[in-house]
Amino acid sequence: MTSKTNSRSILVTSALYYANGHLHLGHIVESIQSDIWVRLQKLQGHDCIHVSGSDAHGTPIMLQAEKLGISSEALVTKIGKEHQAEFAAFLVNFDNFYSTHSKENQFFTELLYTRLRDKGDIATRTIKQAYDPVKNMFLPDRYVKGECPKCGSPDQYGDNCESCGATYSPTELKNPISVVSGVKPIEKESEHYFFKLENYAEYLKQWTRQGHLQEQIVNKLNEWFEAGLKQWDISRDGPYFGFPIPQTTDKFFYVWMDAPIGYIASFKNWCDKHPEIPFEKYWQKDSPCELYHFIGKDIIYFHALFWTAMLHGSDFRTPTAIYAHGFLTINGQKMSKSRGTFITAKNYLDHLQPEYLRYYFAAKLTDTIDDLDLNLDDFVSRVNADLIGKYVNIASRCASFITKHFAGELSATLADDVLYEKFVSESEQILQHFNARRYHRAIRDIMALADLANQFIDENKPWELVKKQDLAKVQTVCTQGLNLFRLLTIFLKPVLPEVAKNVETFLNIPPLSWEDIQNPLLSHTIQTYQPLMQRIDPKQVQAMIEQGKEMMSETPQPPKPSNDIAPTINYDDFAKVDLRIAKIINAEHVEGAEKLLKLTLSLGTENRQVFSGIKSAYTPESLIGKYTVMVANLAPRQMRFGLSEGMILAAGPGGSELWLLEPHDGAKEGMRVK
């Protein structure tokens, strides 16, 4: 067993959580996996620190904050607090949960960048990017949509096609539009900064084959090495929520540049609050401490290649190991909003205890990157059978006899020393499985021991021994049962920390450690047993699913007042509307559209194309030459038939009774209507 004299110094990180929305159960998989591992290290007496935080930068956060009418900083703070509360509810115990938008992170981001730059590892070159002319901003790949250039599928993102799997650049999309404004992006040049990843190709080939990664990951990385490592774009143009690049104007570090550096920043923030922790010792080159990253398999490229090369090139230590896990599926499929199986952390916690899920995930988690399935029927049956029917059942079957007949006093001896020693000997294999992240095998072995404990009780039948007045044997049998239960609790403590805490109260003992396995609890007074867990009712799961469907349905529009008047706006809102006189210089039918006419409008200095739903009241030829009023500053909208660059004003109940708003005589094209 581990003693404090040979304890290890370990730093564990969980991938940073993007501060742009609620946590779902896919996020919870990783945090539970890392939390179990950290708790196990602490249970063995190791110095183990667990850090994470909010991934706070990037265009999505900037746009979401703008949409909500708050600052990006305020959004990050709000979401970060929500995430911390949800992790705490799932009993995930981060020693420090911080944010990448921090002074520490800016300091270390600039430090790594300048060290790499001074070594010649930063290049600059001009590139072409999609640019939104309405929002005046460059667009990330995921903010451009259009038709796949390979298979023609519509509504595909600018980096890959979800239909055929093709990858491409946004400029290759057919009929692209900006997700932000709906207009067609233009191409625009900009100077960008690149990290020369190829400079570290040989180092990375060696490092990735030295046991730092899972075998499946190494095989995938070999494909990337064979294809040749490419330079990595680490800059973005403003407007952008992030850190400015030193000695540049309107250039910012790409979110993936400073995000992993957030591990260093979060740990530094922890060390500043705990001066006894030597920050430099953990992050210096050739550090004697251990560093482990728990991540999803989708971001292994960033961690195993970019991040490791950046650390090595800037004279920081590299990870001891990177542990990647697979994705979470629900009932064998991707999480689905329509089926109610896109389950948020809050949605789950409204209905079920966190330790049910911690146990189920532990029973399914392996040391591979294979996906993990949450089968809801299996979830109910396994939790009820294992935790209620096997584990806590041992305590409930034995405790009442000790309390009622022996005033809570355990016997001085065990009924079966050999059985106890079998549990002790099995503990080494269980520990190895947990340490190697083979949680599923550890849980399997623990439940096999629980079966043996229940079998022992069934064979000795303390309820019949009481009737025979063989009280001495009743005491030793039930003492045996409770000691086996105590060992199972030690094994399960990293998985069920709250249950273990309640068991410690029930057994009237200090917090359990792995070393306590060696010595049984004898001649000791316990407290009255209180139920430790309740069975899951399938109705709870069904209620969770129904709530999920309701939560994920489209947000209902606020009801209109009874007089059908739209919600009130203020004068400033109305003053933003720019009404102009326009001359209809052409009008034509739109093929495939029942209500639309395509109008070409002259504003005097420019022409606009507008699609208008007035076909039921007007023929194209009757409109040519007419003057009307249009909303000139309405953002262009990409429609199926083309780009509509404004709106003309009409009134009436509909159908043939629609009348264009026409100006008075003497009006001129482009004149503003007041």
Side-chain angles (χ1 to χ4, degrees):
M1 296 299 158
T2 302
S3 65
K4 201 67 179 177
T5 56
N6 62 351
S7 68
R8 297 146 55 196
S9 295
I10 306 169
L11 174 59
V12 174
T13 75
S14 289
L16 305 172
Y17 301 90
Y18 205 51
N20 194 32
H22 299 293
L23 295 174
H24 55 70
L25 294 193
H27 297 123
I28 302 301
V29 168
E30 179 176 304
S31 61
I32 286 177
Q33 184 188 35
S34 59
D35 183 73
I36 290 173
W37 200 84
V38 168
R39 288 180 182 274
L40 181 75
Q41 307 314 311
K42 293 180 176 181
L43 192 63
Q44 296 173 78
H46 300 312
D47 293 321
C48 189
I49 300 168
H50 193 192
V51 302
S52 187
S54 297
D55 185 359
H57 289 151
T59 301
I61 286 175
M62 178 184 73
L63 293 176
Q64 177 69 0
E66 182 181 300
K67 181 180 177 181
L68 296 174
I70 59 177
S71 68
S72 297
E73 291 84 354
L75 175 63
V76 168
T77 299
K78 174 179 178 295
I79 297 296
K81 289 180 179 178
E82 291 176 2
H83 287 181
Q84 287 183 72
E86 288 168 345
F87 283 128
F90 274 101
L91 308 175
V92 175
N93 183 28
F94 291 118
D95 291 293
N96 204 53
F97 192 92
Y98 204 38
S99 168
T100 59
H101 190 66
S102 65
K103 65 181 187 299
E104 294 93 340
N105 203 39
Q106 184 166 10
F107 171 81
F108 285 111
T109 299
E110 292 179 358
L111 178 62
L112 267 71
Y113 168 77
T114 53
R115 286 182 178 180
L116 294 171
R117 181 197 63 194
D118 294 346
K119 282 188 174 182
D121 291 330
I122 304 297
T124 60
R125 67 174 181 269
T126 299
I127 64 170
K128 287 184 178 180
Q129 288 180 280
Y131 185 84
D132 188 318
V134 173
K135 291 292 289 184
N136 295 317
M137 62 180 288
F138 287 96
L139 295 168
D141 294 352
R142 302 288 284 183
Y143 279 76
V144 183
K145 278 191 170 184
E147 297 170 15
C148 172
K150 302 292 192 292
C151 71
S153 294
D155 201 34
Q156 297 302 313
Y157 288 110
D159 53 359
N160 73 283
C161 176
E162 294 181 350
S163 295
C164 71
T167 58
Y168 42 75
S169 68
T171 55
E172 295 178 85
L173 282 173
K174 298 176 182 177
N175 300 317
I177 62 167
S178 164
V179 174
V180 182
S181 68
V183 303
K184 180 179 180 179
I186 63 174
E187 283 191 13
K188 192 172 180 179
E189 290 186 340
S190 175
E191 184 181 54
H192 272 232
Y193 289 71
F194 293 82
F195 172 52
K196 296 180 180 179
L197 184 63
E198 70 275 15
N199 289 359
Y200 294 89
E202 291 306 313
Y203 169 77
L204 290 171
K205 285 179 184 177
Q206 294 180 25
W207 186 87
T208 56
R209 296 164 184 168
Q210 293 172 343
H212 303 291
L213 304 167
Q214 293 131 295
E215 186 176 349
Q216 293 164 289
I217 297 297
V218 174
N219 294 336
K220 183 63 179 176
L221 290 177
N222 286 338
E223 297 177 19
W224 288 327
F225 286 131
E226 291 172 6
L229 300 182
K230 304 292 191 298
Q231 292 187 357
W232 178 39
D233 190 342
I234 61 169
S235 67
R236 291 296 183 267
D237 295 276
Y240 190 81
F241 181 52
F243 297 136
I245 298 178
Q247 301 175 359
T248 68
T249 302
D250 207 30
K251 302 289 182 184
F252 296 83
F253 287 114
Y254 174 42
V255 58
W256 261 109
M257 172 72 178
D258 69 70
I261 299 172
Y263 301 142
I264 302 177
S266 185
F267 182 66
K268 181 63 166 68
N269 179 257
W270 168 257
C271 291
D272 288 345
K273 293 180 287 189
H274 299 82
E276 72 280 6
I277 305 296
F279 170 81
E280 289 77 10
K281 179 182 175 183
Y282 278 80
W283 284 100
Q284 68 191 20
K285 250 190 180 356
D286 303 319
S287 169
C289 305
E290 300 169 51
L291 171 64
Y292 299 95
H293 297 312
F294 283 78
I295 62 169
K297 65 181 178 182
D298 55 325
I299 55 175
I300 190 65
Y301 192 95
F302 290 101
H303 282 76
L305 298 182
F306 295 136
W307 173 232
T308 301
M310 283 167 51
L311 287 170
H312 180 70
S314 55
D315 297 322
F316 280 84
R317 62 89 42 79
T318 53
T320 306
I322 299 173
Y323 297 143
H325 59 82
F327 300 135
L328 176 70
T329 57
I330 308 288
N331 292 337
Q333 297 178 312
K334 289 182 179 180
M335 287 189 282
S336 165
K337 294 180 180 180
S338 62
R339 291 189 295 268
T341 55
F342 188 92
I343 304 173
T344 65
K346 183 181 184 306
N347 182 197
Y348 176 93
L349 292 166
D350 283 345
H351 299 276
L352 295 161
Q353 293 299 312
E355 284 172 303
Y356 297 153
L357 194 67
R358 289 178 65 99
Y359 177 79
Y360 189 78
F361 281 170
K364 305 275 279 190
L365 276 164
T366 72
D367 59 344
T368 72
I369 60 171
D370 296 338
D371 292 345
L372 180 155
D373 185 53
L374 170 56
N375 180 290
L376 294 173
D377 289 338
D378 180 56
F379 166 69
V380 173
S381 61
R382 183 175 295 214
V383 167
N384 287 345
D386 288 2
L387 293 184
I388 314 303
K390 295 181 181 180
Y391 168 57
V392 300
N393 188 49
I394 299 167
S396 64
R397 297 176 82 186
C398 297
S400 60
F401 293 108
I402 295 294
T403 302
K404 182 177 180 180
H405 298 285
F406 310 102
E409 183 77 14
L410 298 177
S411 62
T413 59
L414 295 174
D416 189 337
D417 290 322
V418 173
L419 181 59
Y420 185 89
E421 286 305 316
K422 177 174 177 55
F423 274 54
V424 172
S425 64
E426 289 287 325
S427 69
E428 286 300 326
Q429 186 65 49
I430 291 169
L431 182 61
Q432 288 179 27
H433 287 324
F434 270 132
N435 274 322
R437 304 172 334 284
R438 296 187 295 266
Y439 298 172
H440 68 303
R441 295 184 63 179
I443 294 298
R444 183 192 63 190
D445 290 352
I446 292 169
M447 284 303 128
L449 292 176
D451 285 335
L452 290 179
N454 279 293
Q455 182 181 332
F456 169 82
I457 297 167
D458 289 339
E459 290 173 350
N460 285 276
K461 299 179 177 58
W463 51 92
E464 292 188 3
L465 294 174
V466 167
K467 293 177 182 177
K468 297 176 182 178
Q469 294 296 306
D470 191 352
L471 294 183
K473 189 170 183 180
V474 169
Q475 188 179 24
T476 57
V477 165
C478 291
T479 295
Q480 175 89 28
L482 290 175
N483 267 277
L484 300 180
F485 172 73
R486 171 176 164 271
L487 292 181
L488 294 172
T489 301
I490 295 174
F491 303 154
L492 288 170
K493 186 172 181 179
V495 181
L496 307 175
E498 192 65 31
V499 168
K501 184 178 178 181
N502 291 334
V503 170
E504 290 159 355
T505 299
F506 154 58
L507 293 179
N508 196 25
I509 55 176
L512 290 163
S513 71
W514 202 265
E515 287 186 337
D516 292 328
I517 289 170
Q518 296 294 337
N519 302 309
L521 191 65
L522 303 170
S523 301
H524 175 81
T525 303
I526 63 172
Q527 305 288 345
T528 301
Y529 175 78
Q530 302 294 332
L532 293 166
M533 301 188 86
Q534 302 295 328
R535 296 177 65 85
I536 300 177
D537 187 333
K539 292 179 181 178
Q540 294 172 275
V541 174
Q542 188 58 40
M544 177 182 69
I545 293 172
E546 293 304 318
Q547 184 192 51
K549 291 179 181 178
E550 188 176 319
M551 289 170 64
M552 292 302 165
S553 63
E554 289 188 4
T555 304
Q557 296 297 316
K560 290 185 177 181
S562 57
N563 61 4
D564 207 34
I565 295 176
T568 301
I569 63 173
N570 59 39
Y571 182 83
D572 290 337
D573 292 329
F574 182 75
K576 295 176 183 177
V577 181
D578 188 356
L579 301 178
R580 299 276 176 165
I581 306 299
K583 183 179 180 179
I584 304 174
I585 60 176
N586 193 35
E588 53 189 290
H589 293 289
V590 179
E591 185 177 351
E594 296 180 3
K595 300 179 180 179
L596 293 179
L597 291 178
K598 178 182 176 182
L599 308 178
T600 303
L601 308 176
S602 171
L603 290 171
T605 57
E606 63 175 304
N607 293 342
R608 297 278 189 90
Q609 175 180 278
V610 170
F611 290 87
S612 181
I614 57 173
K615 187 175 180 178
S616 60
Y618 293 91
T619 61
E621 54 270 20
S622 69
L623 291 170
I624 297 175
K626 281 183 177 288
Y627 286 83
T628 187
V629 178
M630 75 171 294
V631 180
N633 64 334
L634 187 67
R637 179 187 176 195
Q638 182 68 41
M639 304 178 70
R640 183 159 58 99
F641 309 100
L643 186 67
S644 187
E645 299 173 295
M647 177 186 291
I648 62 171
L649 302 186
S656 61
E657 296 185 326
L658 271 178
W659 296 278
L660 289 181
L661 185 59
E662 299 183 32
H664 56 76
D665 291 340
K668 295 182 179 180
E669 296 143 83
M671 182 183 292
R672 187 163 191 174
V673 179
K674 298 183 179 180

